[in-house]
Amino acid sequence: MLDISESVMQFLLAFLVAGPLAGAAAALLPAPPGLKGKSPDQAVLRHGVTVTGAILAAAIVLAIGFDHDRPARMQATTDISWIPALDVRIHLGVDGISLPLLVLTALLTFLCALYSYFKMPAGPSPKAFVALLLVLESGTLATFAVLDLLLFFLAFEMVLIPMYFLIARWGGEDRRAAAWRFILYTLLGSVVMLLGLLLVGLKAGTFDMVALATDNGRYITTSVQVIAVLAIGVGLAVKTPMWPLHSWLPDAHTAAPTVGSVLLAGVLLKMGTYGFVRIVLPIAPDGMHILAPYLAAFAAAGIVYGSLACLALARTGARGDLKRLIAYSSVGHMGFVLLGIATMTPTGVNGALFANVAHGLITGLLFFLVGAIKDRYGTADLDTLAGATGAALYGRAPRLGGLLAFAAVASLGLPGLAGFWGEMLALFGAFRPAEGLSRPAFLTFMAVGAFGTLLTAAYLLVVVRRVCMGARPDAHRPPLVDIQRYEFAAWSPLAVLTVVAGLWPAVLLGLTDPAVQKLLSGGKS
């Protein structure tokens, strides 16, 4: 790894947070005459690719300069007083827990900007689209980089408005209702979360997340911790989303444009589970210990519920929407993440963090593919696509069909691909939960989760059979465009990383494990 000075690392992390905001402001300005290209619309879309590409390059350099021998230590830290009266500070930093999520966010946003340059979703001017995309990226990156509770809340909320407009203005049918449901659910959850964050900060005397994690809840009574976990957990669970607080998600995904669905599944859902690991586990351990079995129960229920909903949508005659099916699959997959967190063990939490990244790669790829299928067929309705014999994607667009099958088997947790390790480690964590947690209860949750993996395989294989297989195409069926160059450029990094993470999980686990061990031990390495 490169030996990069601390000041350069600080600049890179600050650039990750502030750079997209500056890019969003520039996107709204008229393009200079020499940079307009064929049209102002093309110029602003190219601007989006350039800015997100620069952010991705900065994230990669930050990852290369990161001290991998000490991933539990906060690096590239900036700590500046912002509101002295409330002791709110601009405190940024990155460790082995947040670094993979920063790189994942930068990668997915760049790929979405690149895809949109060639396939801009139908809607108003690209200027607003690019500006909203960049504001969304800034808020998400800030969520993973800030180390102050109030700044975390501001960054957490910052993503809501751009995602609302991306759905409401560039989405499909029923987009306004879906956008309103998204913002109302998440805002109501966030209000409750803010009360919990204020309670923790005022009782502990600081909003600094590093100091609070080091204190490990010793200055907060158990009753206050329980209230804080409930309040903060509700806001985080809505964003995750945890069953039964998930009902905004299928509508939002179904209505969102392709890149909106990719970012919603690949990045925004991770903010909720990241909050559980970064805030709830280390800051209120006693409260979490009391409520962990309930969180695990909701997680296990979500795993089975999401899979059964997908099976219902996949069956013949259900008129199931493919985007809606993938959205429900996220409820199940995020259930494994929450189950791993609820075990309060290094094994389970590492599995949750691995599953977070794997879900971002695989489900991001799935939404790209489903969006492409919808563009080609004009619908994502599974019955319309499959017809009487199947959509025959293998025969009509073999590369597209093959990649869809690859993403499906990765999502069902095939060993050797990224989806396997997170779910396996979460189940291992439930096999032997933290001391004091009921082992019989967690063994039950583990069995339910394992049953959920069978249901996941069932519905994904049904989807592959109905969409990829079928009667051989004949002269009466219109030709179907296979994967195009820009699609290959946007999708191949996700496919490659899915294989790399599956074959070499130690690359990611080597980053997260020391940081998780320190977090669970109250700041002691």
Side-chain angles (χ1 to χ4, degrees):
M1 296 297 167
L2 290 177
D3 184 14
I4 301 177
S5 68
E6 183 67 13
S7 59
V8 173
M9 294 285 283
Q10 290 172 343
F11 169 78
L12 288 172
L13 188 57
F15 176 68
L16 285 182
V17 174
L21 282 180
L28 298 175
L29 300 174
L35 298 177
K36 284 185 178 179
K38 294 180 181 178
S39 70
D41 287 352
Q42 185 194 51
V44 75
L45 290 170
R46 186 169 61 243
H47 170 79
V49 176
T50 303
V51 174
T52 55
I55 297 300
L56 175 59
I60 292 172
V61 174
L62 183 73
I64 293 173
F66 186 81
D67 186 352
H68 290 254
D69 294 328
R70 294 187 292 175
R73 182 176 69 89
M74 279 294 171
Q75 302 178 34
T77 54
T78 299
D79 192 0
I80 304 169
S81 179
W82 184 36
I83 307 176
L86 298 176
D87 193 29
V88 178
R89 309 183 69 81
I90 299 177
H91 192 182
L92 307 176
V94 60
D95 66 356
I97 293 172
S98 53
L99 181 64
L101 293 171
L102 287 170
V103 177
L104 175 68
T105 300
L107 173 65
L108 283 175
T109 311
F110 169 70
L111 296 179
C112 286
L114 180 65
Y115 186 83
S116 299
Y117 179 78
F118 295 96
K119 189 70 178 179
M120 173 69 194
S125 163
K127 274 194 172 189
F129 177 84
V130 171
L132 290 168
L133 193 69
L134 292 172
V135 173
L136 181 69
E137 180 180 34
S138 178
T140 313
L141 290 169
T143 302
F144 300 136
V146 297
L147 297 172
D148 182 277
L149 288 180
L150 294 185
L151 277 186
F152 175 86
F153 176 77
L154 292 176
F156 198 82
E157 296 305 287
M158 183 177 167
V159 304
L160 300 185
I161 299 303
M163 182 52 73
Y164 167 82
F165 281 109
L166 285 174
I167 297 172
R169 303 299 299 276
W170 286 272
E173 295 180 10
D174 298 324
R175 59 184 183 269
R176 294 190 183 279
W180 271 111
R181 194 172 292 113
F182 160 75
I183 197 123
L184 287 176
Y185 263 83
T186 49
L187 275 178
L188 288 173
S190 297
V191 169
V192 181
M193 184 178 76
L194 177 60
L195 296 176
L197 295 175
L198 291 174
L199 177 64
V200 168
L202 294 175
K203 288 292 183 180
T206 180
F207 290 101
D208 187 272
M209 290 157 65
V210 176
L212 287 165
T214 304
D215 291 341
N216 207 217
R218 64 176 59 94
Y219 299 119
I220 310 175
T221 64
T222 301
S223 58
V224 171
Q225 287 191 36
V226 170
I227 296 170
V229 171
L230 280 172
I232 297 171
V234 166
L236 297 174
V238 169
K239 187 68 72 75
T240 297
M242 180 186 77
W243 178 89
L245 304 175
H246 68 284
S247 57
W248 61 269
L249 183 72
D251 292 335
H253 270 308
T254 305
T258 296
V259 294
S261 293
V262 171
L263 292 175
L264 185 58
V267 177
L268 264 68
L269 304 191
K270 313 299 172 283
M271 295 165 63
T273 51
Y274 173 80
F276 274 106
V277 175
R278 178 67 75 196
I279 297 174
V280 177
L281 276 178
I283 293 176
D286 295 337
M288 182 64 182
H289 198 277
I290 292 171
L291 295 173
Y294 301 98
L295 177 62
F298 282 121
I303 292 170
V304 174
Y305 171 84
S307 300
L308 290 175
C310 290
L311 273 174
L313 289 170
R315 64 183 173 83
T316 304
R319 309 297 298 178
D321 186 284
L322 259 182
K323 289 187 74 175
R324 195 173 191 86
L325 186 147
I326 303 302
Y328 273 111
S329 79
S330 291
V331 177
H333 288 306
M334 299 313 288
F336 281 103
V337 177
L338 291 173
L339 178 60
I341 293 170
T343 67
M344 299 184 70
T345 62
T347 301
V349 177
N350 276 304
L353 293 171
F354 197 103
N356 251 349
V357 175
H359 180 265
L361 295 172
I362 297 167
T363 308
L365 178 59
L366 277 170
F367 273 117
F368 268 134
L369 292 167
V370 172
I373 290 171
K374 186 174 182 179
D375 289 338
R376 286 158 169 78
Y377 281 92
T379 181
D381 182 271
L382 196 53
D383 285 339
T384 304
L385 287 173
T389 61
L393 206 57
Y394 286 151
R396 303 185 67 196
R399 293 182 183 87
L400 184 60
L403 193 54
L404 178 64
F406 165 83
V409 296
S411 185
L412 63 82
L414 185 74
L417 298 176
F420 171 73
W421 296 105
E423 294 181 3
M424 184 194 71
L425 289 173
L427 294 176
F428 275 2
F431 180 74
R432 197 173 297 279
E435 187 178 348
L437 294 177
S438 170
R439 194 174 182 217
F442 273 83
L443 286 174
T444 303
F445 302 144
M446 183 193 75
V448 172
F451 177 63
T453 62
L454 299 178
L455 295 176
T456 302
Y459 72 74
L460 285 169
L461 291 176
V462 169
V463 168
V464 170
R465 177 178 60 81
R466 298 192 68 197
V467 176
C468 296
M469 301 179 186
R472 293 178 63 84
D474 53 40
H476 300 291
R477 303 185 74 174
L480 204 64
V481 178
D482 211 337
I483 295 178
Q484 300 181 71
R485 288 183 180 179
Y486 73 91
E487 293 173 328
F488 178 81
W491 302 344
S492 57
L494 300 179
V496 170
L497 288 174
T498 297
V499 175
V500 170
L503 294 178
W504 289 283
V507 174
L508 187 55
L509 294 173
L511 278 174
T512 61
D513 185 54
V516 168
Q517 297 273 4
K518 181 178 179 180
L519 212 62
L520 293 176
S521 64
K524 302 178 184 68
S525 299

